[in-house]
Amino acid sequence: MPPVSDPSSLTLADVLREHRRSRPDAPAVIDGDHRATFPQLDERVNRLANALATAGVDAGERVLWLGQNSFRVMEGLLAAAKLGAMFCPANWRQSADELAFVIDDVDARVVIWQDEEIGAAVQEARRHAAAAGARWLRHDGDAARTDPDGYEAFLASGSPDDPDRDVTVDAALLLVYTAAFEGRPNGAMLSHRALVAQSLVLGDLATVDASAVYLNSGPLFHIGTFMNTLATFVHGGANVFTRRVDAEALCRIIEAERCTGAFLVGPMFDQILAVNSPRRYDLSSLRTSPGRDDAWTEMVSTDTSRWARNPGGYGQTEVMGMLTYNALGTGGIGTHGRPSPVVQVRIVDPDDREVPDGETGEIVARGATVMSGYWNRPELNASRRRGGWHHTNDLGRRERDGTITFVGPKTRMIKSAAENIYPAEVEACIAMHPGVAACAVIGVPDPTWTQSVKAIVVALDGASVTSDEIVEHCRALIASYKKPRTVEFVDALPRVGFAIDYDALDARFGGGGYPGGRNRSA
């Protein structure tokens, strides 16, 4: 085996192998009554990997997970890691039709599914899916142990010996489907290198080490949860899993396992406060970001890491979660920090030429955490990976101090004479006006300038806003050629789900003439 030049040249399976040797008594996964040290986890992973190999899972093959959070997600991911295969945790909240699309698209050799709560949708999806030939394994209930197609019975059939396959760090391992921005979801393929590298960066910024006990209370089909799961695993900490998000259950788990971190959002903070008043549970082990109200701060510990003090940044599934970190841009001009130390970021025009600092363009990136491409999407890959850079389809700008500001989705572009204008940038500017509730920007054909900018604005209730005010507001904040030439006021913007229906706005207000003859970019 060649010498290891840097930690990100280890596969995720190599990390597990080393933890087995160096942390023989440390807990690795906890899920209700199931507890496993790293050696115990590794033995189960070996058994699963060997059983999967017998079922036809080889390098490049897929294993699909259709279930809620479970320690078996980690086992499936790590078994795939040992075989050079891909593991796909699907969004179990999807409809049967949406699940059927994923089943067909992934074309997995083995599907691990859950019956409780989501079994009806999974079974209906299975009936509707065209794909055939996969081995289906139920992972929950008594059937998991007694049925030949049960997960535990299947795992027990495998040898405990390490498969010891030759797997490269750039082999795709985690397959995560993105939102259907382009009409259908796409599976982003993330390599061993991407997973380990992001774990090392996040671990440094969030001060994750072997003492970490992370509560997986967020969905593991989202990269935002998986980032923390993997950072904890790579640094030798313990991952705790819960299938349901219930405030009282979370309190019990945090107290019992002395969890140091958890995936908590929005209303969950208030629900935990309500459940734990008066102090029924000891939650002092939990470290959370500073700045919450006194009642919360007194109940938990304050996380003083750089990530907690300045969380977030810019990212997407295709870059293993985060591309830039606010923790690396503290005090900078940009709103989304600086790029991760394992990537390069450029801001480019439609011809892929880098634009000057302060100018808006598309964010493109390359580096350790950037995906290996989309599964089974050769044409999309050719477009989004041209020139050796991942094109994010998002707009941003590099400020003069090197920090990054995310502007918004690229969607489409307006061409005014020789200038390129991105609606998202103009919309962000208009939205800053104190009298504006919502807005959208379209391009309308112009005999002189090719296109001109039209803003469609919803005013706040009771606000008195004029077209001239909107134009002058933009003139003061962005380049003059980007300001709207005309402004229309409406009571509400048309939407398809949560998204603004730009095609409807074009039809109503005469939009058109976009570069290339297309209204939307791929």
Side-chain angles (χ1 to χ4, degrees), residues 202 214 219 221-229 263 307 317 320-321:
L202 183 59
Y214 180 65
F221 55 78
H222 278 320
I223 204 68
T225 306
F226 236 130
M227 282 174 53
N228 295 283
T229 309
F263 189 92
W307 168 261
T317 299
M320 190 50 213

Side-chain angles (χ1 to χ4, degrees), residues 327-394:
L328 297 174
T330 307
I333 299 171
T335 56
H336 290 75
R338 286 189 168 85
S340 161
V342 297
V343 300
Q344 289 179 289
V345 172
R346 298 169 62 215
I347 309 297
V348 301
D349 66 15
D351 296 316
D352 294 339
R353 297 173 300 200
E354 193 160 6
V355 301
D357 291 352
E359 288 292 318
T360 296
E362 184 179 10
I363 301 169
V364 301
R366 66 182 181 186
T369 57
V370 176
M371 70 170 181
S372 307
Y374 294 111
W375 163 249
N376 200 26
R377 302 285 190 273
E379 292 182 1
L380 183 59
N381 286 335
S383 170
R384 295 288 292 273
R385 293 167 60 78
R386 62 187 184 273
W389 293 77
H390 166 61
H391 289 66
T392 65
N393 259 2
D394 285 329

Side-chain angles (χ1 to χ4, degrees), residues 373-423:
Y374 294 111
W375 163 249
N376 200 26
R377 302 285 190 273
E379 292 182 1
L380 183 59
N381 286 335
S383 170
R384 295 288 292 273
R385 293 167 60 78
R386 62 187 184 273
W389 293 77
H390 166 61
H391 289 66
T392 65
N393 259 2
D394 285 329
L395 300 175
R397 62 177 175 269
R398 189 183 295 275
E399 310 295 358
R400 65 177 182 272
D401 65 349
T403 54
I404 300 294
T405 294
F406 167 66
V407 173
K410 188 171 71 171
T411 58
R412 49 185 167 181
M413 186 180 72
I414 297 170
K415 192 76 170 178
S416 180
E419 302 290 356
N420 300 318
I421 301 171
Y422 296 103

Side-chain angles (χ1 to χ4, degrees), residues 120-183:
V122 170
Q123 293 286 40
E124 184 181 350
R126 183 179 181 182
R127 288 192 295 271
H128 292 170
R135 177 79 180 270
W136 284 67
L137 304 171
R138 177 178 166 181
H139 92 88
D140 63 331
D142 292 338
R145 289 177 171 79
T146 60
D147 193 306
D149 286 327
Y151 179 92
E152 290 297 330
F154 178 80
L155 180 147
S157 71
S159 166
D161 297 333
D162 195 313
D164 198 23
R165 301 284 183 89
D166 184 14
V167 179
T168 71
V169 294
D170 291 315
L173 171 56
L174 181 61
L175 182 61
V176 180
Y177 274 79
T178 63
F181 292 117
E182 291 143 351

Side-chain angles (χ1 to χ4, degrees), residues 448-471:
T448 303
W449 306 108
T450 307
Q451 282 182 300
S452 63
V453 178
K454 178 183 286 290
I456 298 93
V457 173
V458 179
L460 282 171
D461 289 343
S464 177
V465 187
T466 67
S467 298
D468 288 344
E469 287 175 359
I470 296 296
V471 172

Side-chain angles (χ1 to χ4, degrees), residues 157-316:
S157 71
S159 166
D161 297 333
D162 195 313
D164 198 23
R165 301 284 183 89
D166 184 14
V167 179
T168 71
V169 294
D170 291 315
L173 171 56
L174 181 61
L175 182 61
V176 180
Y177 274 79
T178 63
F181 292 117
E182 291 143 351
R184 64 177 179 177
N186 300 302
M189 299 184 294
L190 298 160
S191 68
H192 292 257
R193 187 189 301 277
L195 272 57
V196 174
Q198 190 73 289
S199 296
L200 294 173
V201 173
L202 183 59
D204 176 58
L205 295 177
T207 318
V208 178
D209 58 23
S211 68
V213 182
Y214 180 65
L215 177 54
N216 286 262
S217 47
L220 287 170
F221 55 78
H222 278 320
I223 204 68
T225 306
F226 236 130
M227 282 174 53
N228 295 283
T229 309
L230 291 171
T232 302
F233 169 77
V234 167
H235 287 86
N239 273 291
V240 182
F241 298 87
T242 180
R243 185 169 61 84
R244 295 185 58 82
V245 180
D246 171 81
E248 182 134 13
L250 295 185
C251 288
R252 285 197 302 268
I253 295 170
I254 292 168
E255 180 182 64
E257 306 299 344
R258 310 309 297 154
C259 296
T260 59
F263 189 92
L264 302 175
V265 293
M268 189 52 61
F269 289 97
D270 294 334
Q271 292 169 20
I272 290 175
L273 267 175
V275 163
N276 202 35
S277 180
R279 303 284 179 81
R280 300 168 55 202
Y281 301 97
D282 177 7
L283 307 184
S284 59
S285 64
L286 186 66
R287 299 194 296 261
T288 65
S289 298
R292 294 202 164 267
D293 58 41
D294 291 343
W296 180 268
T297 301
E298 292 168 3
M299 186 175 65
V300 301
S301 297
T302 299
D303 188 344
T304 59
S305 69
R306 287 180 287 169
W307 168 261
R309 296 197 307 271
N310 294 281
Y314 164 75
Q316 55 181 207

